[in-house]
Amino acid sequence: RPPRGMREGIEAPEARATRGPEAMIGHVLENPKLAEAVGLDSAQADEIRATLLATKEKEIDLRAAMEKAALKQAQLMTAREIDEEAVLDVVDEIGRLRTEMAKERMRNLILIRRTLNPEQLEKAKTMLRERFQDRAAKWGERTGERRGEGAEPRERTRPRAQRETEEPRPESPER
């Protein structure tokens, strides 16, 4: 069984931090109306699309290599006699692979910034902000409906059966 952080797949924090602009540009390229709204011409779209595709292919290979390294690390750590040097070598390899993934993402962002003119970048950023705000509003509506409007956070985290069978809690003083 892979180590705890490996079960859901390997993704470094810097990967999550750079996903937004790439994902948005990918959506723009897939949707002709959004591409038109940003003002992408076909040469810009083709260049970005080709680069994003090449990066996805590299990331698939890098993720596979990281998963193999994680399995090797888990195997080394569960051995009766732990080979410290071998474990640390695998840790170094995983770090190198994560760094390479982060570099690929940065290359994409740099290409996008160099390919789009300032007006297009501003339109893309505005669209991205609006998309995130819309999603946040929808998420708030869904969680409010599911958890009960106005419920205290602690109330929401306790199991429903427990909340329903207990005596009501006294009101907390206003802050």
Side-chain angles (χ1 to χ4, degrees):
R1 186 172 168 173
R4 184 170 185 223
M6 302 304 192
R7 288 183 207 140
E8 295 81 29
I10 300 171
E11 187 170 52
E14 63 273 9
R16 290 186 297 276
T18 59
R19 190 181 311 148
E22 290 176 51
M24 199 285 298
I25 292 296
H27 288 300
V28 168
L29 293 173
E30 292 168 6
N31 185 331
K33 289 181 183 179
L34 293 177
E36 185 178 325
V38 170
L40 281 180
D41 64 38
S42 61
Q44 289 173 312
D46 290 345
E47 182 178 6
I48 293 170
R49 187 179 294 119
T51 301
L52 292 178
L53 179 62
T55 298
K56 283 181 183 180
E57 290 174 353
K58 288 179 188 175
E59 284 186 353
I60 289 169
D61 293 339
L62 290 169
R63 275 196 196 101
M66 285 188 351
E67 296 230 5
K68 286 179 181 179
L71 288 173
K72 184 175 181 179
Q73 179 183 359
Q75 184 180 25
L76 290 168
M77 290 300 296
T78 57
R80 184 175 293 269
E81 294 291 323
I82 295 178
D83 182 351
E84 181 178 355
E85 187 175 333
V87 170
L88 295 178
D89 286 346
V90 173
V91 169
D92 286 341
E93 177 65 10
I94 291 171
R96 185 191 67 73
L97 293 165
R98 284 187 174 176
T99 299
E100 188 58 34
M101 286 181 75
K103 285 180 178 181
E104 286 300 317
R105 287 188 175 100
M106 288 301 109
R107 286 183 189 112
N108 281 347
L109 294 176
I110 290 167
L111 171 79
I112 289 166
R113 292 199 56 151
R114 286 182 178 160
T115 303
L116 302 182
N117 64 43
E119 183 180 304
Q120 290 171 321
L121 274 174
E122 192 55 42
K123 285 180 183 177
K125 287 178 186 178
T126 300
M127 291 171 67
L128 181 61
R129 257 191 307 274
E130 290 170 357
R131 176 172 247 140
F132 283 148
Q133 288 170 350
D134 290 346
R135 287 184 180 175
K138 287 178 184 176
W139 176 252
E141 290 170 10
R142 283 187 284 157
T143 57
E145 290 170 8
R146 189 171 63 229
R147 293 181 178 162
E149 289 297 327
E152 291 293 321
R154 287 187 189 145
E155 290 296 318
R156 286 186 240 142
T157 58
R158 293 182 19 238
R160 179 179 291 169
Q162 184 181 2
R163 289 193 311 263
E164 292 172 353
T165 59
E166 288 182 354
E167 294 291 321
R169 289 186 174 180
E171 291 294 318
S172 60
E174 295 295 320
R175 292 183 184 177

